[in-house]
Amino acid sequence: MPARVAVVTTGGTIACRIDPESGAAIPVVTGPELVGLIPDLGRVAAVEVRELSLVPSWEFTLPYIDRIRRAVEEAFASGAEGVVVTQGTDTLEETAFWLDLTLDVPALGGPVVVTGAMRNNSESGADGPRNILDAVTVAAEGQNGFRAPVAVTNSHVHAARWVTKTDSFNPNTFQSPGHGPIGAVWGDAIAHSAAIDPLPPIPVSDPGKRVMLIRWAAGMDDLFLRACLDAGVDGVVIEGMGLGHIPGDTVPAVAALRERGIPVIITTRCWSGPALPVYGGPGGGRDLAAMGCIFGRGLNGTRSRLLLAAGLGAGMGQDELAELFAGPRGAVTV
Ligand code: ASP
């Protein structure tokens, strides 16, 4: 009996064709059509399609990403032994990380796999059909499969907690910097090169928290921080310079956010390494830590924003958020 695998479709390049009138790539390939493009699929699994949308992933919101999470849970509840999500690659790492934060894969009973494509279905060498075949092959491992969410593209399996889009054009875009892939798909065979342990899921009841990410550059002023203050956002993540520094004359705006009880997470704009409270002086890490800013440690800005949104959405206050970032969730990237 082939394994039962659900494919949750949302749109993205993997569902695009070139519109003959405008020449633009548009998501038009429905879920059933998408799996119909891959005749080999039936050999690998009994596939059931759950079509959620036909949109580019740059339109995704956190409540929508959480809707994908629910679709995954619903598919398992109706008997799937593995689930594949297809979406645009622009925010694939966000969906993957959110699923890693919120799902308990061993309890669900099978793999959770996210995939996408860099070349649409009108292009030579379209990578979508092969990526879906590989993703379904990984999902069809059922209880023997990867124990935390993964992304499968370009014949590689990446841990959802590490994977990132590194190139805006090349199909080899998805990488896990500092870690490498945890597996590979060689036709029907799946190589597991590293085990990935599940982390306890965060019980998010409100995925709609408004958390802003501000990337710093030399000489920027406090405009975006003040805008966050005026708008009364739920949380702010700063991608600071080096170990997470910002200019001294912007620090009063951070202090104002903190006085209002708004959590502020400090991360680094460097592509690897942590944000840490080492330096003194205004805008140094010691100064920011003394105001109650929380350090993102090994998480970059994008991932810190999701972890903060998940923690806030689970009702956590300042102390619990600090613990969350200080725990294994804050150490998952290098
Ligand atoms: N370039 C994107 C993709 O790969 C567009 C999107 O994210 O929807 O699908």
Side-chain angles (χ1 to χ4, degrees), residues 214 216 219-231 249-251 253-254 257:
I214 304 173
W216 225 275
M220 269 173 60
D221 64 27
D222 63 2
L223 176 72
F224 293 143
L225 293 171
R226 295 268 167 214
C228 288
L229 194 64
D230 292 347
D249 59 3
T250 66
V251 169
V254 175
L257 286 163

Side-chain angles (χ1 to χ4, degrees), residues 152-240:
V152 171
T153 62
N154 207 32
S155 307
H156 279 143
V157 183
H158 289 275
R161 65 189 64 157
W162 298 325
V163 72
T164 194
K165 184 174 183 177
T166 62
D167 191 294
S168 59
F169 187 79
N170 195 299
N172 194 30
T173 182
F174 285 101
Q175 306 291 336
S176 299
H179 297 275
I182 58 168
V185 189
W186 298 326
D188 292 345
I190 299 167
H192 287 238
S193 47
I196 183 84
D197 289 328
L199 289 168
I202 301 171
V204 178
S205 55
D206 175 6
K209 295 293 180 186
R210 200 165 172 214
V211 179
M212 296 296 148
L213 168 61
I214 304 173
R215 181 177 170 87
W216 225 275
M220 269 173 60
D221 64 27
D222 63 2
L223 176 72
F224 293 143
L225 293 171
R226 295 268 167 214
C228 288
L229 194 64
D230 292 347
V233 300
D234 298 306
V236 174
V237 178
I238 294 174
E239 261 187 23

